[in-house]
Amino acid sequence: METITSIKPLLAVLVSLVAAVLIVVTKDNPNRRESCTIGAAVIKFLIILSMAPAVFAGKKIELLLVTLLPGLSIEFRVDALGLMFALTASFLWILTSFYSIGYMRTLKEHAQTRYYTCFAITLSATIGAAFAANLFTLFLFYEIITLVTYPLVAHKETPEAYEGSGKYLWYLIGTSKVFLLPAVILTFVFAGTLDFKAGGIFPGEIVSQEQTVLKVVFFLFLFGFAKAAIMPFHNWLPSAMVAPTPVSALLHAVAVVKVGVFSIVRMIYFIFGPETLQNLELGITTAYIASFTIITSSIIALTKDNLKARLAYSTISQLSYIVLGMAMLSASGMTGGMIHITNHAFSKITLFFCAGAIYVAAHKTKISELNGIARKMPWTMAAFSIGAMNMIGMPLFAGFVSKWYLALGSIESKHSSLLIVLIVSSILNACYFLPIIYAAYFKELPEGESTEKHEAPMTMVVPLTLTAIGTLLLFFNSSDLLEMARLVLNSG
């Protein structure tokens, strides 16, 4: 496979860091400040998009930034998996930037400069993680994301916000230090390298005395990447819902949780590899852990009346679909897991955008308060319905493609129990989303409430409409995502 040396990966990381500086400099002029945010988001997306032709042609783009010690370097590599994640994150940042303007200005939120600055740095770290060529680089940007998103979670500066953000910080820092860092060190000791390699860096044939150690290393990784919210290391995610809705959208769709599952995908395919995991019999064990998370979090979601809380537990469930697909160790299963990174991102950001729009326009946060709201907010609830149908996996929605490949993967891996998990979880998805849609469209508005249409500002409605349309387009144009997944699986 041809390798190209290019500065583009570094530029994609740096553009939002430069924007962060400009945001601080222009803090006294909101229009200029937010123009810096939007400008950086567009430039970042275009830089990343410019690398797509080379990657689709089967090439890799690399850049060695600095070698700290022998075998320890900060290095970027753009492959199909990283490109898919980076394109998703950078495109959705553009829409989130517009949405944030409507949200923050309408509610007259404080500390808006800090908010936009942290957002920009977070996107730099996210792209850094997407293009990481080795575990050390990934670990570095993974940690930066944790630190720079803390002020976003604590944004409201209330006792509840500090409590939720404190749990967020300590969960993610604690698991990375106790689990993830030892896993990185042990990987270097046993493999002699931290570089990602398609098919894994551990040998397929492992002597018996090393098997136990490698099994320990695997689970250190699995739970060390706690941003993936695999149970029991998931409680930070619902606690982080104290953040403003655009931040919740960032956490659940663009950056934090996606970096978690993206890192697990990297670990499974580029550190251990399917052959080694098969020999260690870790695939099915991981699949059952993911299945437990999928079903349990879906059941908990049913009990939540707060809309953002229900969406949070839905996220925990949906993230484990990605882990489940990779754990199947079959071509179809891993394809379904990889493309769900993007499919879930578009629909989940739509749902959180809708939750924020409802809060801004109607000041409602509970599901029990949403009776008849589609009459007042038809655009918002139409987008919400599209996002929800995608989560359920209905035909004509992108989530259907993900679940189809996951179902095929369960058959290929000869574990029918995993197919049952997918069916049951889809039913549970319907059980916690369809009642919201039914109440919004078919129940009457509360007595005395005006039927006059009243949507959130256009800077919020347009982004949520576009992400909903994107969810539909991903179904009809799924070939590009499937081609990226094929490139990943054939890279070894």
Side-chain angles (χ1 to χ4, degrees):
M1 180 178 291
E2 184 181 349
T3 299
I4 303 170
T5 300
S6 172
I7 198 173
K8 285 184 179 181
L10 178 60
L11 293 177
V13 172
L14 289 180
V15 65
S16 45
L17 282 180
V18 173
V21 175
L22 294 176
I23 288 167
V24 174
V25 171
T26 59
K27 63 181 179 180
D28 295 329
N29 189 322
N31 290 336
R32 289 183 181 176
R33 178 188 63 200
E34 284 138 35
S35 294
C36 293
T37 298
I38 294 168
V42 172
I43 293 170
K44 181 184 289 287
F45 175 71
L46 292 176
I47 291 172
I48 295 169
L49 185 63
S50 71
M51 293 185 274
V55 174
F56 274 106
K59 302 174 183 177
K60 289 182 180 178
I61 301 171
E62 292 187 351
L63 179 67
L64 175 61
L65 199 60
V66 60
T67 299
L68 303 175
L69 294 169
L72 201 65
S73 63
I74 299 175
E75 185 176 2
F76 297 120
R77 180 182 301 137
V78 183
D79 59 8
L81 180 63
L83 180 70
M84 178 170 61
F85 179 37
L87 282 172
T88 302
S90 58
F91 178 75
L92 291 178
W93 186 36
I94 299 172
L95 300 181
T96 305
S97 296
F98 282 103
Y99 183 92
S100 294
I101 294 170
Y103 185 95
M104 302 298 281
R105 289 192 179 187
T106 301
L107 296 179
K108 297 180 173 60
E109 288 282 352
H110 73 292
Q112 292 189 28
T113 297
R114 182 185 67 193
Y115 169 91
Y116 288 111
T117 302
C118 290
F119 234 114
I121 300 172
T122 298
L123 263 294
S124 281
T126 301
I127 302 305
F131 293 157
N134 55 56
L135 265 175
F136 176 74
T137 306
L138 177 61
F139 178 78
L140 177 66
F141 285 107
Y142 183 94
E143 292 292 84
I144 291 172
I145 290 171
T146 300
L147 296 175
V148 80
T149 51
Y150 170 77
L152 293 172
V153 178
H155 176 82
K156 293 183 179 179
E157 299 179 6
T158 62
E160 183 185 13
Y162 284 126
E163 181 182 356
S165 59
K167 183 180 289 188
Y168 170 84
L169 188 64
W170 289 113
Y171 252 90
L172 297 185
I173 287 183
T175 52
S176 67
K177 296 300 181 290
V178 175
F179 299 140
L180 184 55
L181 183 58
V184 172
I185 295 171
L186 288 170
T187 297
F188 186 76
V189 170
F190 278 89
T193 180
L194 294 177
D195 290 344
F196 294 130
K197 178 186 175 184
I201 59 177
F202 293 119
E205 295 295 330
I206 303 169
V207 295
S208 58
Q209 59 265 34
E210 292 181 346
Q211 289 188 6
T212 301
V213 176
L214 288 182
K215 287 178 180 179
V216 171
V217 171
F218 178 83
F219 286 110
L220 287 174
F221 274 123
L222 189 66
F223 296 118
F225 288 122
K227 289 184 175 72
I230 296 174
M231 290 182 169
F233 299 100
H234 68 287
N235 277 331
W236 65 268
L237 198 152
S239 299
M241 289 304 94
V242 295
T245 301
V247 176
S248 299
L250 169 79
L251 295 177
H252 289 253
V254 182
V256 178
V257 297
K258 283 302 186 301
V259 168
V261 289
F262 172 82
S263 299
I264 288 178
V265 171
R266 279 284 192 212
M267 179 269 294
I268 287 177
Y269 195 75
F270 291 84
I271 295 298
F272 279 83
E275 183 181 354
T276 298
L277 291 178
Q278 196 77 49
N279 291 337
L280 293 173
E281 299 180 348
L282 288 172
I284 188 60
T285 304
T286 305
Y288 284 139
I289 293 172
S291 297
F292 175 80
T293 301
I294 290 170
I295 299 299
T296 304
S297 55
S298 295
I299 293 172
I300 295 173
L302 284 167
T303 69
K304 299 299 179 181
D305 187 39
N306 182 281
L307 181 56
K308 284 177 67 176
R310 183 169 295 193
L311 294 178
Y313 278 98
S314 168
T315 296
I316 295 170
S317 174
Q318 294 286 330
L319 291 174
S320 280
Y321 279 119
I322 299 166
V323 179
L324 176 64
M326 295 304 298
M328 290 176 182
L329 303 180
S330 62
S332 293
M334 289 189 287
T335 296
M338 283 186 275
I339 67 174
H340 200 56
I341 292 175
T342 296
N343 290 341
H344 172 261
F346 271 82
S347 53
K348 186 50 62 79
I349 202 169
T350 300
L351 293 170
F352 271 103
F353 279 177
C354 292
I358 292 169
Y359 176 68
V360 167
H363 303 292
K364 295 180 178 181
T365 60
K366 294 183 178 180
I367 295 167
S368 56
E369 300 171 338
L370 301 183
N371 291 354
I373 198 167
R375 295 177 180 85
K376 300 183 67 171
M377 305 181 70
W379 282 99
T380 298
M381 287 313 302
F384 185 94
S385 300
I386 291 172
M389 292 299 179
N390 187 70
M391 292 288 93
I392 296 168
M394 297 291 288
L396 302 182
F397 296 91
F400 174 79
V401 181
S402 300
K403 291 190 177 183
W404 178 262
Y405 276 90
L406 291 173
L408 290 178
S410 67
I411 295 170
E412 288 177 9
S413 62
K414 299 179 181 178
H415 291 291
S416 58
S417 58
L418 301 181
L419 180 59
I420 295 172
V421 169
L422 291 169
I423 294 170
V424 171
S425 66
S426 293
I427 293 171
L428 289 171
N429 295 160
C431 288
Y432 62 70
F433 276 126
L434 293 183
I436 301 174
I437 298 171
Y438 176 82
Y441 281 97
F442 298 107
K443 289 188 176 181
E444 296 297 324
L445 281 163
E447 188 175 348
E449 190 167 326
S450 171
T451 59
E452 182 182 356
K453 288 183 174 58
H454 180 58
E455 293 276 6
M458 289 300 291
T459 48
M460 298 177 70
V461 174
V462 171
L464 66 86
T465 301
L466 291 176
T467 55
I469 292 172
T471 297
L472 296 174
L473 293 178
L474 283 172
F475 173 81
F476 293 104
N477 296 278
S478 58
S479 58
D480 287 340
L481 288 181
L482 293 172
E483 174 62 14
M484 287 187 178
R486 185 193 67 79
L487 287 171
V488 174
L489 296 177
N490 291 342
S491 61

